Amino acid sequence: MEFTNYEPGEYAREHIRITPTTLSDGREFFYLDDEPDYVAGRKVRELRDPRQLADRFANQLDPEGNEVPYAAPLMRRDPLTGDWVPMATARMNRPINIGPGATATGNPLAARKPGDPYQDGEVPDVDYDVVVFENRFPSMVQVPGRDRDAVAHVDGNPLWLEKPAAGRCEVICFDPDEHGLPADLPVERLRTVVEAWAFRTAELSAIDGIEQVYPFENHGQEIGVSLAHPHGQVYAYPYIAPRLETELRHTEAYFQETGGNLLRDIMDAEVAAEERVVMENGSWVGYVPAAARWPLEVHVAPKRDVLTLDELDDAERWDLAQMYSTLLKRGNTFFDRGDGKGMDLPYIAAWHQAPVRDSRRDHYRLNLQFFSFRRAANKVKYLAGSESGMAAWVSDTTPELIAQRFKELGPVRL
Amino acid sequence: MEFTNYEPGEYAREHIRITPTTLSDGREFFYLDDEPDYVAGRKVRELRDPRQLADRFANQLDPEGNEVPYAAPLMRRDPLTGDWVPMATARMNRPINIGPGATATGNPLAARKPGDPYQDGEVPDVDYDVVVFENRFPSMVQVPGRDRDAVAHVDGNPLWLEKPAAGRCEVICFDPDEHGLPADLPVERLRTVVEAWAFRTAELSAIDGIEQVYPFENHGQEIGVSLAHPHGQVYAYPYIAPRLETELRHTEAYFQETGGNLLRDIMDAEVAAEERVVMENGSWVGYVPAAARWPLEVHVAPKRDVLTLDELDDAERWDLAQMYSTLLKRGNTFFDRGDGKGMDLPYIAAWHQAPVRDSRRDHYRLNLQFFSFRRAANKVKYLAGSESGMAAWVSDTTPELIAQRFKELGPVRL
């Protein structure tokens, strides 16, 4: 058993233990333990995946039964927008968003039952705190021995570029209890989730060809998450995603014009305006942005200039866990169902980090964009013709009303 | 009764009659009749809205009961993306997407019942073919006498621009039968819908401050359309929507580099490649774009270089109605439920037109982008973390598979 070469910092060295292993089909898998027995090294992780899965890059059978090389996912560039679009044909028959290894009967994120020699899941051990592993049905993957940069022209036309979708898709499982909510996890556990985000950012950024590391959380049936088990994901894109590209264009232009960092100046402006600041602690500020487009939207920014999650120091990681916990809890009480009990808010938590190697990275700044499609206890905002067709959002509320409601749910100073 | 000053072309002059009127709160309303009695001028439209609505821009009562000026919708510019976000607080309590004038009991798009002195709908007459009118709960509107360009700084900070959302939102009702589907309308009626798109493009483009005219159709409960009555919308944005802006950046760069029109060259390349061309008639081509991002996506382009819908000649309008009809019908049989009966496909039909006055308009080209969120008879594609958070689409299929399925549904040559 070896520790990963990642340096998780002082706090993590004391309180968190990272144990790498490999699933039987060759995918990487990591335990992140905040449980004292594991951290103290007294327990030893069961590292053997009891399944005997075929190597994930093994030859496959085509519809006629012939053995053919593994069909790696490809991506094409849309000449009208410049966007790369991974095409994940292998995922066509997978259960929707249900994550790796899922079947109709099993929860792939469950720990093995003690004494049970086999369970149809992805976790080899009988318990865990947080685990991270490569998605079994990735829309992007790097295939050993294949040229990541092999560009082809679709139908021989140079308008249409096609190349391997040589990124990486990982799953982060937040807790062994499949019935819990991320909002109800103790701050200590969310601290380990923060460590997972930072750890994966560091390791994935070191992989050749990765341009952006994007930890995110989809939560709620309303956005298609059919697996209730608390979990998030990390996409390591082999390109800069369109939204980050747009932001980089603006942060860079702002730097060229003013010498300043747009994201810092936005945060400072929100702090100065005060009205939309909904949370603050030692190292973070949470605010509803002045031009919020979602019915519930909060951006969380570090007070110190930080580009990526792995640059956060121990105090910042701890403070982030506290603020994330508060954000999720208040999110669940934001919409009043009339019984005062709150609800399980569907949300997307999206980490915007500086790109891995793009020259504009130094003028960006780490921020979390947290938002919900829900616009009332019984209403959802749909992304219809204006949003889906023209990327033109229309807000049904105002940033000030969102902030006002947040402030009713608890003090700004955490 | 006067005809509008719009020139609807030879075909329309013969076959379509446009009758403008005004609803009792001051909104513009247009009948577009393809019904012979109306076209021949034998019948006279009932033009009196029987409701006595207050003028839509009249003073309003605030929560304390004080009379205050009409609160026009505003929009703010997001400094991180450059996007303008209209904030439609007045729409907060409206039934979701149910359209103008709706109540829990009424269909606002229904014609008045003969002999019924009042019905809670938007249509004054007892029948109609196609009607167009301004949305009663617009997210964008131009208020007479107010300065459209009055820019304010939110909280006094020049990072945050705010100004009136001085656009326009209109509803197009396709047919008086609330139980029909657009796919089942006769081509003659869809021809009148095409006329409505062209007519509104011409008139809305002539309004000061309008930068883009966007006719679109949201169809299906799955995207939040709770009003089944066949209808579409037109948004006249006082800015160029982010998606069109991205496209213009690419079409302009392509022109600067090659002297060519990117959208024409894409269409020509699809025709040359042939594999993804799913429909063709005298003046239009329908193809699955080589980098399609939706599980069902078809782009429809005119063979002749045309910038906007109102530039289409009579033959092109007629051919478009035929192709749109075919597209909708085939869309409804695209996903096999197993009973061979097809389904009511949820879709978004998005007209991409050259902007009204942007200098890059001449290097753009009219196209319809038609797509569906549905990815199987019983599955929907959700816009989760990658799409909603990073605008990074991942396709679960390939353009060639989409095209292959379309070709099973009918001949390419219409």
Side-chain angles (χ1 to χ4, degrees):
Chain A
M1 182 192 327
E2 283 179 74
F3 282 77
T4 165
N5 59 6
Y6 168 68
E7 294 292 342
E10 205 57 45
Y11 178 89
R13 270 192 291 278
E14 278 176 39
H15 295 86
I16 289 169
R17 182 174 179 175
I18 299 180
T19 312
T21 182
T22 305
L23 296 176
S24 63
D25 58 3
R27 284 176 290 141
E28 286 196 283
F29 183 107
F30 303 91
Y31 292 99
L32 282 82
D33 288 306
D34 56 22
E35 208 262 271
D37 277 353
Y38 285 108
V39 173
R42 288 195 294 276
K43 285 196 185 176
V44 176
R45 276 278 169 222
E46 169 69 62
L47 295 180
R48 193 181 56 79
D49 179 0
R51 301 168 299 179
Q52 297 187 327
L53 300 173
D55 183 89
R56 60 177 168 160
F57 300 127
N59 288 351
Q60 300 174 321
L61 296 182
D62 72 8
E64 283 78 44
N66 304 308
E67 196 167 303
V68 293
Y70 169 78
L74 298 170
M75 60 186 189
R76 291 185 184 170
R77 183 176 174 278
D78 176 1
L80 192 53
T81 60
D83 300 346
W84 285 100
V85 182
M87 300 194 171
T89 52
R91 302 164 83 222
M92 278 298 269
N93 295 316
R94 126 206 108 118
I96 183 164
N97 268 12
I98 209 163
T103 68
T105 54
N107 168 5
L109 305 183
R112 288 173 62 201
K113 292 196 182 68
D116 188 346
Y118 178 77
Q119 182 175 342
D120 190 19
E122 297 276 55
V123 182
D125 212 332
V126 296
D127 73 355
Y128 64 89
D129 292 343
V130 167
V131 294
V132 181
F133 53 93
E134 291 183 82
N135 196 312
R136 191 171 177 185
F137 301 99
S139 49
M140 302 176 285
V141 72
Q142 296 195 345
V143 185
R146 298 219 191 148
D147 180 4
R148 283 194 314 276
D149 298 317
V151 175
H153 294 158
V154 179
D155 296 313
N157 194 315
L159 274 177
W160 297 316
L161 306 184
E162 180 178 77
K163 64 179 185 176
R168 181 139 146 166
C169 300
E170 297 188 341
V171 176
I172 301 181
C173 186
F174 292 2
D175 192 72
D177 177 5
E178 66 185 308
H179 301 297
L181 293 177
D184 295 331
L185 294 175
V187 171
E188 292 72 16
R189 174 58 43 79
L190 290 172
R191 174 65 182 77
T192 309
V193 172
V194 170
E195 195 59 37
W197 292 335
F199 168 51
R200 299 318 301 153
T201 296
E203 291 223 328
L204 294 170
S205 296
I207 296 176
D208 277 351
I210 298 303
E211 298 293 337
Q212 179 187 349
V213 180
Y214 176 45
F216 64 99
E217 191 186 339
N218 292 334
H219 182 83
Q221 283 191 316
E222 293 87 343
I223 54 167
V225 183
S226 54
L227 182 65
H229 201 133
H231 69 287
Q233 298 182 66
V234 185
Y235 275 14
Y237 296 110
Y239 47 83
I240 294 176
R243 167 78 190 210
L244 182 61
E245 174 60 34
T246 298
E247 294 181 6
L248 287 168
R249 215 163 44 239
H250 285 81
T251 53
E252 187 65 18
Y254 186 83
F255 172 78
Q256 297 298 340
E257 200 180 310
T258 69
N261 183 302
L262 177 59
L263 279 157
R264 161 162 281 282
D265 287 357
I266 288 173
M267 180 186 72
D268 288 347
E270 292 289 3
V271 169
E274 204 182 337
E275 180 173 9
R276 289 173 302 273
V277 173
V278 295
M279 293 182 297
E280 194 198 344
N281 64 20
S283 31
W284 296 83
V285 178
Y287 55 87
V288 182
R293 65 194 70 198
W294 299 94
L296 188 169
E297 181 170 354
V298 175
H299 292 193
V300 173
K303 291 183 176 177
R304 186 170 67 93
D305 289 338
V306 167
L307 295 178
T308 52
L309 284 156
D310 54 320
E311 290 184 0
L312 296 173
D313 66 28
D314 289 343
E316 287 163 340
R317 292 175 194 212
W318 186 260
D319 285 347
L320 174 56
Q322 181 210 32
M323 189 172 282
Y324 198 69
S325 172
T326 305
L327 178 58
L328 298 186
K329 284 184 200 299
R330 291 185 187 170
N332 282 350
T333 54
F334 189 92
F335 293 111
D336 188 357
R337 291 189 309 187
D339 60 5
K341 285 188 183 166
M343 61 187 312
D344 180 14
L345 181 80
Y347 60 84
I348 291 173
W351 278 106
H352 292 227
Q353 310 200 70
V356 175
R357 47 182 64 83
D358 186 277
S359 63
R360 298 165 295 180
R361 74 186 304 269
D362 290 342
H363 309 138
Y364 196 74
R365 200 169 186 279
L366 177 67
N367 68 100
L368 171 71
Q369 301 191 11
F370 177 92
F371 55 89
S372 178
F373 289 73
R374 190 160 288 285
R375 63 184 188 91
N378 59 347
K379 289 176 186 169
V380 164
K381 176 180 180 66
Y382 290 93
L383 300 185
S386 192
E387 290 85 1
S388 288
M390 277 298 155
W393 258 248
V394 173
S395 171
D396 282 309
T397 182
T398 68
E400 289 72 25
L401 286 172
I402 300 171
Q404 184 185 318
R405 174 61 182 153
F406 251 102
K407 290 182 185 182
E408 291 169 7
L409 303 173
V412 171
R413 182 74 207 182
L414 306 186
Chain B
M1 185 192 329
E2 282 179 74
F3 283 76
T4 164
N5 59 6
Y6 168 70
E7 293 292 342
E10 205 58 46
Y11 178 89
R13 270 192 292 277
E14 278 176 39
H15 295 87
I16 289 169
R17 181 172 180 175
I18 299 180
T19 312
T21 182
T22 305
L23 296 176
S24 62
D25 59 2
R27 284 176 290 141
E28 285 196 283
F29 182 107
F30 303 90
Y31 291 99
L32 281 82
D33 288 306
D34 56 24
E35 208 262 271
D37 276 353
Y38 284 107
V39 174
R42 288 195 295 277
K43 286 195 185 178
V44 176
R45 277 276 170 223
E46 168 70 61
L47 295 180
R48 194 180 53 81
D49 179 0
R51 300 168 299 180
Q52 297 188 326
L53 301 174
D55 183 90
R56 60 178 168 157
F57 300 126
N59 288 352
Q60 299 174 322
L61 296 182
D62 72 9
E64 283 78 44
N66 305 309
E67 196 168 303
V68 293
Y70 170 78
L74 297 170
M75 60 186 189
R76 290 186 186 170
R77 183 177 174 278
D78 176 2
L80 192 53
T81 60
D83 300 345
W84 285 100
V85 182
M87 300 193 173
T89 50
R91 301 163 83 220
M92 279 296 271
N93 295 315
R94 124 206 109 119
I96 182 164
N97 267 13
I98 209 164
T103 67
T105 54
N107 168 4
L109 305 182
R112 288 172 63 199
K113 292 195 183 70
D116 188 347
Y118 178 78
Q119 182 175 341
D120 190 19
E122 296 276 56
V123 182
D125 212 331
V126 296
D127 74 355
Y128 65 89
D129 293 342
V130 168
V131 295
V132 181
F133 54 94
E134 291 183 81
N135 196 311
R136 191 171 176 186
F137 300 99
S139 49
M140 301 176 286
V141 71
Q142 296 195 343
V143 184
R146 296 217 194 151
D147 180 4
R148 283 194 315 276
D149 298 316
V151 175
H153 294 160
V154 178
D155 296 314
N157 194 314
L159 274 178
W160 297 316
L161 305 184
E162 180 177 78
K163 63 180 187 176
R168 182 138 146 166
C169 300
E170 297 187 342
V171 176
I172 301 180
C173 186
F174 291 4
D175 192 72
D177 178 5
E178 64 185 309
H179 302 295
L181 293 177
D184 296 331
L185 293 175
V187 171
E188 291 74 15
R189 174 57 45 78
L190 290 172
R191 174 65 182 76
T192 309
V193 172
V194 171
E195 194 59 37
W197 292 334
F199 167 52
R200 299 318 300 153
T201 296
E203 291 223 328
L204 294 170
S205 297
I207 296 176
D208 278 351
I210 298 303
E211 297 293 337
Q212 178 187 351
V213 180
Y214 177 45
F216 64 101
E217 192 185 338
N218 293 334
H219 183 83
Q221 282 191 317
E222 293 87 341
I223 52 166
V225 183
S226 54
L227 182 66
H229 202 133
H231 69 288
Q233 298 182 66
V234 185
Y235 275 14
Y237 296 111
Y239 48 84
I240 295 177
R243 166 80 190 210
L244 182 61
E245 174 60 35
T246 298
E247 295 183 5
L248 288 168
R249 215 164 45 238
H250 285 82
T251 53
E252 187 65 18
Y254 186 84
F255 173 77
Q256 298 297 339
E257 199 181 312
T258 70
N261 183 302
L262 177 59
L263 279 157
R264 161 161 281 281
D265 287 357
I266 288 173
M267 180 185 73
D268 288 347
E270 292 289 3
V271 169
E274 204 180 338
E275 182 174 8
R276 289 173 300 275
V277 174
V278 295
M279 293 182 296
E280 193 199 345
N281 65 20
S283 32
W284 296 83
V285 177
Y287 56 86
V288 182
R293 64 194 70 199
W294 298 94
L296 188 169
E297 181 170 354
V298 175
H299 292 192
V300 174
K303 291 183 175 177
R304 186 170 67 92
D305 290 337
V306 167
L307 294 179
T308 51
L309 284 156
D310 54 320
E311 290 184 0
L312 296 173
D313 66 28
D314 289 343
E316 287 163 339
R317 293 176 193 210
W318 185 260
D319 285 347
L320 173 58
Q322 181 211 30
M323 189 171 283
Y324 198 71
S325 172
T326 304
L327 178 58
L328 298 186
K329 283 183 200 299
R330 292 185 186 170
N332 282 350
T333 54
F334 189 92
F335 293 110
D336 189 357
R337 289 189 309 186
D339 60 5
K341 285 187 182 169
M343 62 189 308
D344 180 14
L345 181 79
Y347 61 83
I348 291 173
W351 278 105
H352 292 225
Q353 310 201 68
V356 174
R357 46 182 64 84
D358 186 278
S359 63
R360 299 165 296 181
R361 74 186 304 270
D362 289 343
H363 308 137
Y364 196 74
R365 199 169 186 278
L366 177 67
N367 68 101
L368 171 70
Q369 301 190 10
F370 177 93
F371 55 89
S372 178
F373 289 74
R374 189 159 288 284
R375 63 186 188 90
N378 59 348
K379 290 175 185 168
V380 164
K381 177 180 180 65
Y382 290 93
L383 300 185
S386 192
E387 290 85 0
S388 288
M390 276 298 155
W393 258 248
V394 174
S395 171
D396 282 309
T397 181
T398 68
E400 289 73 25
L401 287 172
I402 300 171
Q404 185 185 318
R405 174 60 182 154
F406 251 103
K407 289 182 185 181
E408 291 169 7
L409 303 173
V412 171
R413 183 73 208 181
L414 305 186

